[in-house]
C-alpha cells in the first residue's frame, strides 16, 4: 500500500510539471473553449448556430491562410507588414483580368498566385541578401501595393465575378450520397478526420515510447483527444445540417495539414526553426540562411495572393480598401497562437487556433452589438496579454 502511495505521489508532480511546462499549448486550447462558451451564453446560443459557424469559416478563411505563412516568417525571425496590401492588390488584379479583360478563371488564378510569389521574392531578396530589416522592406511594400491597388482599380470597385470564381469562397462540397440534410458527406469527412487524428496521435505516442522520448501523461493525451474529437464532430454535425462543408474549409484543412507536416516532420521545417533560433549558429551548421529566408517570403506572397482571391470571391467584387489593416489581425493571430517575437518558437496549429480566437471574438462582439472602437481596444489588450505571457514564460525558464 505504501508503494502505491509512493507511485501516486510521484505521478502527480510529474503531471503538474508537464502541464506547467506546456501551458502555452494547453492554455491556448482552454482559452478558445472558454471564449466560445462565454459568447455562446451571452449571444443566447447564436454563436454556435449552423449558419453562424459557416460564416465564421467564411469570414476568417483568408486570415487563417495568411497566418500559416506569417508563422513561418515570424519563426524565421522576421515579419511581413505588407500581406494586407498584397492581398488587396491581387484581388484587384484578378478583377481586372477576369471582369475587364475576360481572361478565363482557370488562367487568371495561377497568374495571380505567380504574381504573389514574385512579390514575396522581390521583398525577400532585400531582406535575405541585403540584410535590410524586414520591418522596413515590408512597410514599404505595404505602401507600394496599397497605391498600386488604387491605381489598378482607378479608385472604383470592379465586379461581379463569374460563378466559377465565386466558388473559391462561397461554394460547398455537395453530398455525394444525395441526402443533403444532414449532409452525409460532411459527416463522413468528419469521422475520417477524427479517426486520422486519433491514429496519428497513438502512432506518435508509440514512436516516442519506443525511442524513450518523454511524452505527455496518458490522462492528458486522452482528455485532449476527446476534446478535439468532440469539438470537431460537433462542428461537422452543425455544418451538415446547413449546407455542408464549405470549399474554403477544405482548402484551409489541406493547407494546415501540409504546413504542419513541413514544419514538424521535415528537414526544411527544422532549418526554419534553427534560422529563427540563432541565425549565426544556423549558418555555421551549413544551413543556407539567405536562401531559406528568401523562400519564407516567397511562400508568404503566394499565400497572401490565395487569400486575396478568396476574399475577392467572397465579396464578389474588388475594392480599393480590400485588405486594409488585415496584416494586424494576421500577426495578432500568430502571436496569440504562441509564436515568439524573437523567432524560433511557434506551431502551425497554434497559429490556426489563434486565428480562430480572433475570429470568434470578432464574431461574438459583432453579434452583441459592441462597437468597432471597443472591439479594437479588446483585441489590442488580448494581443498585449499574449505577448506578456510569452515574455513571462521566457524569463521564468531563463
Amino acid at each position: 500500500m505504501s508503494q502505491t502511495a509512493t507511485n501516486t505521489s510521484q505521478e502527480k508532480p510529474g503531471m503538474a510539471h508537464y502541464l506547467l511546462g506546456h501551458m502555452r499549448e494547453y492554455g491556448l486550447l482552454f482559452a478558445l473553449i472558454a471564449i466560445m462558451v462565454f459568447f455562446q451564453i451571452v449571444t443566447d446560443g447564436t454563436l454556435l448556430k449552423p449558419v453562424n459557424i459557416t460564416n465564421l469559416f467564411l469570414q476568417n478563411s483568408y486570415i487563417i491562410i495568411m497566418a500559416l505563412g506569417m508563422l513561418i516568417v515570424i519563426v524565421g525571425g522576421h515579419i511581413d507588414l505588407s500581406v494586407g496590401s498584397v492581398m488587396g492588390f491581387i484581388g484587384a488584379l484578378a478583377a481586372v483580368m477576369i471582369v475587364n479583360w475576360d481572361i478565363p478563371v482557370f488562367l487568371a488564378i495561377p497568374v495571380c498566385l505567380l504574381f504573389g510569389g514574385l512579390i514575396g521574392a522581390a521583398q525577400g531578396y532585400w531582406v535575405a541578401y541585403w540584410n535590410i530589416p524586414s520591418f522596413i522592406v515590408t512597410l514599404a511594400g505595404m505602401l507600394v501595393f496599397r497605391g498600386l491597388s488604387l491605381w489598378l482599380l482607378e479608385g472604383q470597385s470592379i465586379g461581379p465575378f463569374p460563378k466559377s470564381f465565386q466558388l473559391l469562397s462561397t461554394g460547398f462540397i455537395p453530398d455525394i450520397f444525395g441526402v443533403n440534410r444532414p449532409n452525409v458527406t460532411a459527416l463522413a469527412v468528419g469521422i475520417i478526420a477524427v479517426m486520422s487524428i486519433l491514429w496519428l496521435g497513438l502512432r506518435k505516442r508509440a514512436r516516442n515510447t519506443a525511442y524513450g522520448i518523454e511524452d505527455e501523461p496518458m490522462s492528458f493525451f486522452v482528455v485532449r483527444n476527446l476534446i478535439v474529437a468532440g469539438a470537431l464532430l460537433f462542428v461537422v454535425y452543425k455544418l451538415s445540417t446547413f449546407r455542408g462543408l464549405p470549399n474554403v474549409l477544405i482548402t484551409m484543412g489541406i493547407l494546415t495539414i501540409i504546413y504542419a507536416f513541413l514544419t514538424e516532420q521535415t528537414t526544411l521545417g527544422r532549418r526554419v526553426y534553427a534560422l529563427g533560433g540563432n541565425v549565426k549558429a544556423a549558418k555555421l551548421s551549413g544551413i543556407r540562411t539567405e536562401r531559406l529566408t528568401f523562400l519564407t517570403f516567397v511562400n508568404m506572397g503566394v499565400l497572401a495572393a490565395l487569400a486575396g482571391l478568396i476574399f475577392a470571391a467572397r465579396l464578389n467584387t474588388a475594392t480599393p480598401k480590400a485588405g486594409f489593416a488585415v496584416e494586424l489581425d494576421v500577426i495578432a493571430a500568430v502571436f496569440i497562437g504562441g509564436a515568439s517575437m524573437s523567432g524560433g518558437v511557434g506551431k502551425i496549429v497554434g497559429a490556426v487556433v489563434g486565428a480562430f480566437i480572433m475570429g470568434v471574438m470578432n464574431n461574438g462582439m459583432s453579434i452583441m452589438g459592441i462597437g468597432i472602437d471597443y472591439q479594437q481596444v479588446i483585441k489590442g489588450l488580448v494581443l498585449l496579454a499574449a505577448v506578456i505571457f510569452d515574455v513571462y514564460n521566457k524569463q521564468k525558464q531563463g
Side-chain angles (χ1 to χ4, degrees):
M1 188 170 179
S2 61
Q3 183 66 33
T4 304
T6 303
N7 291 340
T8 304
S9 65
Q10 288 176 349
E11 182 183 359
K12 287 183 178 178
M15 292 172 62
H17 177 73
Y18 181 86
L19 180 59
L20 290 173
H22 295 77
M23 184 58 71
R24 188 189 293 263
E25 294 88 347
Y26 286 107
L28 196 63
L29 180 60
F30 294 146
L32 178 59
I33 294 171
I35 290 170
M36 293 190 72
V37 170
F38 171 76
F39 281 115
Q40 175 70 356
I41 294 171
V42 298
T43 61
D44 296 324
T46 303
L47 181 75
L48 294 180
K49 286 184 178 179
V51 62
N52 195 59
I53 292 176
T54 301
N55 286 335
L56 267 173
F57 287 119
L58 297 181
Q59 291 168 359
N60 296 285
S61 56
Y62 57 94
I63 298 291
I64 293 171
I65 288 171
M66 286 194 289
L68 300 176
M70 186 64 73
L71 175 83
I72 294 176
V73 171
I74 289 175
V75 164
H78 300 282
I79 199 164
D80 191 340
L81 300 177
S82 69
V83 291
S85 297
V86 173
M87 184 187 94
F89 172 74
I90 294 299
L93 179 63
V96 170
M97 292 175 67
I98 296 171
V99 178
N100 290 357
W101 298 346
D102 293 323
I103 294 177
V105 171
F106 69 90
L107 287 178
I109 289 176
V111 169
C112 288
L113 295 177
L114 176 62
F115 262 90
L118 291 174
I119 291 169
Q123 297 189 125
Y125 170 76
W126 296 110
V127 176
Y129 296 102
W130 286 73
N131 292 321
I132 301 176
S134 58
F135 183 92
I136 300 299
V137 173
T138 58
L139 179 61
M142 179 176 71
L143 299 173
V144 167
F145 293 107
R146 177 65 57 200
L148 288 176
S149 297
L150 288 168
W151 168 75
L152 197 58
L153 294 173
E154 298 179 347
Q156 300 177 346
S157 298
I158 296 180
F161 289 100
K163 292 290 184 183
S164 56
F165 184 79
Q166 293 178 46
L167 290 176
L168 275 175
S169 178
T170 58
F172 290 81
I173 303 298
D175 189 354
I176 59 176
F177 299 98
V179 179
N180 293 324
R181 295 281 178 92
N183 190 302
V184 179
T185 301
L187 293 174
V189 170
I191 292 170
I192 292 171
V194 167
M195 292 176 64
S196 299
I197 291 172
L198 293 176
W199 179 75
L200 289 172
L202 289 170
R203 182 185 174 193
K204 180 180 179 182
R205 188 174 182 85
R207 186 170 62 248
N208 288 346
T209 302
Y211 286 101
I213 301 173
E214 182 183 357
D215 210 337
E216 63 184 335
M218 189 64 184
S219 56
F220 279 95
F221 176 80
V222 172
V223 171
R224 177 173 59 83
N225 280 281
L226 283 176
I227 292 174
V228 171
L232 188 56
L233 289 175
F234 174 80
V235 169
V236 169
Y237 172 74
K238 286 285 188 176
L239 293 175
S240 72
T241 61
F242 182 52
R243 298 180 64 184
L245 298 176
N247 290 342
V248 73
L249 177 59
I250 302 299
T251 302
M252 286 190 300
I254 292 173
L255 287 174
T256 300
I257 292 170
I258 291 173
Y259 280 91
F261 176 78
L262 285 174
T263 54
E264 297 177 18
Q265 304 294 330
T266 67
T267 303
L268 180 64
R270 287 189 288 271
R271 287 177 176 174
V272 172
Y273 282 92
L275 173 67
N278 189 324
V279 64
K280 291 183 179 179
K283 198 163 189 174
L284 288 172
S285 65
I287 296 174
R288 299 175 65 177
T289 54
E290 292 86 359
R291 186 179 69 172
L292 197 57
T293 299
F294 176 76
L295 291 176
T296 61
F297 279 91
V298 172
N299 175 72
M300 184 71 256
V302 173
L303 290 179
L306 177 59
L309 294 174
I310 290 173
F311 185 76
R314 180 171 173 268
L315 290 184
N316 197 23
T317 186
T319 67
K321 290 186 177 181
F324 181 75
V326 167
E327 60 276 348
L328 302 181
D329 281 342
V330 175
I331 294 169
V334 173
F335 283 133
I336 290 171
S340 172
M341 297 176 295
S342 56
V345 176
K347 289 187 176 181
I348 289 294
V349 174
V352 173
V353 174
F356 273 119
I357 287 176
M358 294 289 290
V360 170
M361 288 176 58
N362 286 334
N363 185 265
M365 289 188 290
S366 297
I367 294 173
M368 292 173 63
I370 296 176
I372 190 68
D373 46 356
Y374 289 108
Q375 289 189 31
Q376 297 295 336
V377 170
I378 293 170
K379 288 193 295 183
L381 292 174
V382 170
L383 174 59
L384 180 61
V387 175
I388 291 172
F389 182 70
D390 173 61
V391 173
Y392 171 75
N393 273 342
K394 283 192 171 182
Q395 291 177 347
K396 192 174 180 181
Q397 292 171 2

